[in-house]
Amino acid sequence: MTIRAVIFDLDGVLTSTDRFHTEAWQATCENWGIPFSVSSSDKLRGVSRKESALIILREAGLSLSEEEFERFSDEKNRLFVTLLDSMGEGNVLPGVKALLRELKPRYRLAVASSSRNAVKILKRTGLMPFFEVIVDGTMIRCSKPDPEVFQKAADALGIPYDECLVVEDSIAGVSAAFKLGCPVAGVGSASVASGVTYSLAETKELGDIL
Ligand code: G6P
Ligand code: MG
């Protein structure tokens, strides 16, 4: 297998902002009196804000009017963005900066995230300069498990899909990468996903492989 590019997910792979998504949903659900279990928050990894809200409501057996649904999702995003305001370089996951420094001269590097806040996160954590291509939630029509976000990143790099290693902490993202024929490094809860090329407890372990 030849790997010429590495396409990273963002939340939970490069930065600890996955926690903020969970915290923001939990607080929003508390406000709305909607049950939310942190243990099922893995299902929200990698899926869009709208899809996350739908999953939460489905699990609670509830439905909201269109207008309420908008307010519910907007409230979560406002809380999430407030949490981002306290964020800095300390939110880069352990060993990630050293890993990116090591990989940059040898591989083409991209970020592919479902988040519409991805650029803000990359700027605040100082990770922006490592990446040649960034595809985020504002640039896609379908979020993971649809492969669109990875396809756009690979196409922008001009590298064949089977030579792009995708690094993902979500099951939705792993499925998306498989659909495209990319090799996958599953991180954390996605390390046990069946068929992953590499299983990593933490992103930094990629340095031992590449
Ligand atoms: C990432 C996270 C998801 C989140 C999605 C949308 O993929 O893993 O949990 O729902 O981004 O984020 P946004 O910032 O656009 O609400
Ligand atoms: Mg993620």
Side-chain angles (χ1 to χ4, degrees):
M1 179 173 53
T2 313
I3 293 170
R4 288 165 63 202
V6 186
I7 305 178
F8 291 90
D9 171 52
L10 178 62
D11 298 300
V13 165
L14 298 176
T15 60
S16 59
T17 42
D18 52 332
R19 278 194 288 118
F20 296 167
H21 283 291
T22 306
E23 275 175 43
W25 277 126
Q26 193 175 16
T28 307
C29 286
E30 244 166 64
N31 266 351
W32 284 64
I34 293 173
F36 175 79
S37 107
V38 175
S39 62
S40 64
S41 63
D42 271 348
K43 290 182 198 150
L44 310 181
R45 286 182 192 272
V47 300
S48 68
R49 195 180 311 160
K50 188 176 171 194
E51 189 57 37
S52 298
L54 288 171
I55 292 171
I56 290 168
L57 293 170
R58 201 185 307 133
E59 294 218 327
L62 295 168
S63 66
L64 296 176
S65 72
E66 220 171 287
E67 183 265 336
E68 284 172 326
F69 186 90
E70 285 296 309
R71 272 200 293 126
F72 178 58
S73 317
D74 287 353
E75 188 173 318
K76 181 267 174 177
N77 191 52
R78 273 200 305 278
L79 277 174
F80 180 70
V81 171
T82 309
L83 292 170
L84 292 189
D85 285 338
S86 66
M87 180 188 66
E89 293 202 4
N91 293 90
V92 176
L93 285 167
V96 162
K97 248 193 177 149
L99 171 74
L100 294 173
R101 244 181 252 125
E102 198 187 304
L103 297 184
K104 181 129 177 93
R106 295 158 47 218
Y107 298 93
R108 312 279 300 278
L109 302 182
V111 167
S113 167
S114 304
S115 175
R116 303 179 74 86
N117 294 296
V119 168
K120 188 171 184 156
I121 294 170
L122 288 167
K123 279 188 179 156
R124 289 198 68 113
T125 51
L127 292 181
M128 201 80 172
F130 286 106
F131 301 101
E132 192 180 330
V133 164
I134 294 161
V135 183
D136 69 16
T138 66
M139 299 159 78
I140 51 170
R141 262 171 306 147
C142 306
S143 105
K144 303 166 188 176
D146 188 282
E148 185 181 4
V149 73
F150 294 126
Q151 188 162 20
K152 282 213 156 133
D155 289 351
L157 291 170
I159 305 281
Y161 307 136
D162 62 353
E163 295 181 10
C164 294
L165 177 69
V166 166
V167 191
E168 256 297 345
D169 70 321
S170 73
I171 299 297
V174 169
S175 316
F178 281 164
K179 281 180 199 149
L180 211 55
C182 300
V184 179
V187 178
S189 53
S191 66
V192 294
S194 77
V196 292
T197 322
Y198 305 112
S199 294
L200 314 176
E202 291 182 67
T203 307
K204 66 176 176 192
E205 293 165 20
L206 199 58
D208 303 330
I209 294 162
L210 294 178

